[in-house]
């Protein structure tokens, strides 16, 4: 989505389940508006947070005019067979984007395209490379051709549906996904307590929630070094994102088993009120 919209909206890391929400990236031109809606990857939920994540993905199936199913050269259609069956039943046009073709060769790719085409006979299969921007223009062209006539859904100056605070917590979470192992990134939620914009500086204070006391220690690290690295890197990205100086304070708190708590998930914006 970032490549299609031309802005860095959705955080991206090498780890699975980086995206937890449904995030809109809006592409405005003189004669049209495309609202891209990035969703979490599809998975079988193991805990309540993942149930909410799957709900976000399913909701896109009910209101999109075009479905872009993004897979890559490593995945095969059997991985998400339940979801693909739902995709099969779509009335709207489906484009299957096989991403990361920079990592494969022509023969393997041809075979993979055939596999997908068999699985989804009505879909259009498009090999792309987001990294090399290969075929991304073609995807945009197809989307334009397939879009129905409609007045714009959003103000033409708007480029996302999420508020500034959301991007702050996502950028901090991205650094946590990058710098910590195993369960840590998945046990973390970031809440922005204060976001105060002044003329030259934005003052931000954020709380990093973890599920257990032991995780708190890991996040902070020896002499606070680990957390300091996260905060420094996040601040650098935030300054780029907002184009202003950033003052960033971070705190770490334990919120026991928040991923399994209905109430906390609502608090953190994963479920409707
Ligand atoms: N080689 C290669 N890697 C890519 C390409 N597009 C994305 N990636 C990498 O794939 C990883 C997952 O990307 P992300 O956007 O988080 O995928 P998501 O899990 O589907 O949301 C990141 O490390 C990206 O840098 C591509 O075209 N080629
Ligand atoms: Mg993602």
């Amino acid at each position: 989505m970032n490549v299609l919209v031309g802005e860095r909206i959705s955080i991206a890391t090498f780890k699975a389940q980086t995206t937890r929400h449904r995030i809109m990236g809006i592409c405005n031109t003189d004669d049209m508006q495309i609202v891209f809606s990035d969703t979490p990857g599809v998975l079988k939920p193991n805990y309540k947070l993942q149930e909410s994540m799957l709900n976000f993905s399913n909701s896109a199936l009910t209101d999109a005019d075009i479905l872009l199913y993004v897979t890559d050269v490593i995945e095969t259609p059997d991985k998400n067979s339940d979801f693909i069956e739902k995709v099969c039943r779509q009335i709207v046009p489906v484009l299957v984007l096989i991403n990361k073709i920079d990592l494969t060769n022509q023969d393997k790719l041809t075979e993979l395209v055939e596999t997908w085409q068999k699985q989804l006979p009505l879909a259009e299969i498009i090999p792309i490379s987001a990294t090399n921007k290969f075929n991304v223009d073609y995807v945009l062209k197809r989307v334009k051709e397939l879009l129905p006539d409609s007045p714009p859904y959003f103000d033409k100056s708007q480029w996302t549906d999420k508020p500034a605070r959301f991007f702050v917590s996502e950028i901090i979470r991205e650094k946590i996904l990058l710098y910590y192992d195993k369960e840590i990134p998945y046990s973390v939620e970031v809440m922005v307590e204060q976001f105060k914009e002044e003329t030259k500086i934005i003052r931000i204070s954020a709380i990093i929630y973890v599920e257990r006391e032991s995780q708190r220690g890991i996040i902070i690290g020896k002499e606070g070094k680990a957390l300091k690295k996260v905060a420094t890197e996040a601040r650098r990205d935030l300054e780029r994102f907002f184009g202003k100086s950033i003052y960033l304070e971070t705190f770490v708190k334990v919120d026991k088993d928040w991923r399994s708590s209905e109430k906390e998930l609502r608090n953190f914006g994963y479920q409707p009120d």
Side-chain angles (χ1 to χ4, degrees):
M1 182 175 83
N2 290 336
V3 176
L4 287 167
V5 179
E7 302 247 13
R8 196 150 179 271
I9 293 178
S10 234
I11 59 165
T13 78
F14 59 91
K15 291 207 172 113
Q17 301 175 51
T18 294
T19 308
R20 288 182 182 168
H21 293 265
R22 184 174 175 185
I23 307 163
M24 295 189 188
I26 304 163
C27 171
N28 291 298
T29 66
D30 287 342
D31 57 350
M32 57 156 210
Q33 175 174 79
I34 310 174
V35 181
F36 290 99
S37 175
D38 187 25
T39 63
V42 204
L43 73 171
K44 285 217 168 66
N46 286 317
Y47 43 87
K48 277 214 167 68
L49 169 63
Q50 293 185 333
E51 284 172 24
S52 302
M53 287 162 62
L54 186 61
N55 286 342
F56 286 132
S57 312
N58 281 327
S59 72
L61 284 181
T62 65
D63 61 15
D65 293 316
I66 305 168
L67 188 78
L68 306 181
Y69 185 93
V70 185
T71 174
D72 63 28
V73 294
I74 297 134
E75 247 178 30
T76 47
D78 45 300
K79 190 182 156 213
N80 296 315
S81 48
D82 291 358
F83 194 78
I84 286 166
E85 239 167 68
K86 282 188 200 151
V87 172
C88 235
R89 291 198 294 269
Q90 289 299 298
I91 311 162
V92 297
V94 177
L95 307 183
V96 175
L97 310 184
I98 305 180
N99 191 21
K100 307 189 191 177
I101 61 164
D102 50 291
L103 300 179
T104 190
N105 62 42
Q106 188 60 55
D107 288 347
K108 283 190 192 148
L109 183 59
T110 308
E111 204 178 304
L112 191 59
V113 170
E114 280 169 13
T115 311
W116 276 102
Q117 194 69 80
K118 255 187 229 136
Q119 198 72 32
L120 293 165
L122 296 176
E124 189 176 333
I125 320 289
I126 309 177
I128 64 163
S129 165
T131 302
N132 297 341
K133 298 207 163 69
F134 178 82
N135 249 357
V136 171
D137 285 351
Y138 178 72
V139 174
L140 266 182
K141 180 174 156 269
R142 288 300 292 138
V143 169
K144 283 177 196 169
E145 288 164 356
L146 293 167
L147 272 185
D149 278 332
S150 155
Y153 282 96
F154 291 92
D155 189 284
K156 293 287 278 271
S157 64
Q158 205 175 330
W159 52 274
T160 181
D161 63 324
K162 291 274 187 277
R165 281 167 186 256
F166 175 78
F167 296 98
V168 175
S169 68
E170 286 290 274
I171 286 169
I172 298 172
R173 209 165 56 76
E174 180 185 67
K175 302 309 164 207
I176 293 167
L177 276 150
L178 291 174
Y179 301 137
Y180 300 89
D181 281 343
K182 304 192 181 111
E183 272 300 287
I184 295 285
Y186 302 105
S187 312
V188 161
E189 180 56 38
V190 180
M191 190 77 141
V192 177
E193 285 278 294
Q194 190 203 50
F195 183 94
K196 220 167 107 204
E197 186 155 7
E198 296 169 10
T199 332
K200 288 207 176 124
I201 194 168
I202 305 175
R203 294 179 195 281
I204 299 169
S205 130
I207 301 179
I208 297 168
Y209 285 102
V210 289
E211 294 206 302
R212 310 176 192 292
E213 199 56 51
S214 58
Q215 295 168 340
R216 201 171 87 95
I218 296 171
I219 291 283
I220 294 170
K222 220 170 155 196
E223 291 159 11
K225 281 204 182 110
L227 182 58
K228 189 152 186 227
K229 184 172 156 85
V230 165
T232 308
E233 295 284 320
R235 194 171 57 81
R236 201 166 297 156
D237 272 18
L238 288 165
E239 292 193 327
R240 215 173 301 140
F241 189 88
F242 289 106
K244 265 192 176 180
S245 293
I246 301 284
Y247 174 79
L248 175 65
E249 259 184 333
T250 50
F251 304 91
V252 187
K253 286 189 186 170
V254 179
D255 183 350
K256 204 168 167 301
D257 298 323
W258 68 266
R259 280 189 294 177
S260 309
S261 153
E262 196 100 24
K263 180 169 154 272
E264 287 310 68
L265 288 173
R266 196 165 307 121
N267 242 346
F268 291 142
Y270 289 104
Q271 277 176 18
D273 288 322

